[in-house]
Amino acid sequence: MFRLTECDIADHVNNAAYWQPLEEELLARPDPEWLDVEIEYRTPAQAGAKRVLSQGDRRWIVGDDGELHASMLLRDGSRG
């Protein structure tokens, strides 16, 4: 999921790259009336495959070893 080109000089993925999975998810559904997202960066990630877990309005980006890199909370106005 994260590419080497998204890493900084310390070999950590730039925070902007964490938004990509959510942007792809949002492009696959109708536009919400409004959307508010809170993201918390937990531990630095390196390039490579990551998993996005979801449950309701929450998302987590985790490594193959289960390490939590970021969590997101979505508030979507079109869902009532």
Side-chain angles (χ1 to χ4, degrees):
M1 175 169 107
F2 293 134
R3 303 173 309 172
L4 283 173
T5 57
E6 297 168 328
C7 291
D8 60 20
I9 196 164
D11 231 10
H12 299 145
V13 173
N14 182 296
N15 288 352
Y18 288 84
W19 290 93
Q20 182 181 357
L22 179 59
E23 291 169 351
E24 290 177 5
E25 176 185 335
L26 293 173
L27 287 172
R29 61 182 185 174
D31 288 342
E33 182 178 323
W34 59 267
L35 181 69
D36 184 28
V37 180
E38 178 181 322
I39 186 167
E40 184 173 333
Y41 304 101
R42 304 294 184 106
T43 58
Q46 281 71 43
K50 305 293 182 250
R51 293 182 293 148
V52 178
L53 307 176
S54 65
Q55 182 175 8
D57 59 355
R58 299 184 186 274
R59 307 288 182 275
W60 300 271
I61 298 176
V62 298
D64 286 338
D65 60 358
E67 184 174 19
L68 178 60
H69 296 292
S71 59
M72 297 179 195
L73 174 62
L74 288 64
R75 294 179 192 95
D76 182 342
S78 68
R79 292 194 214 172

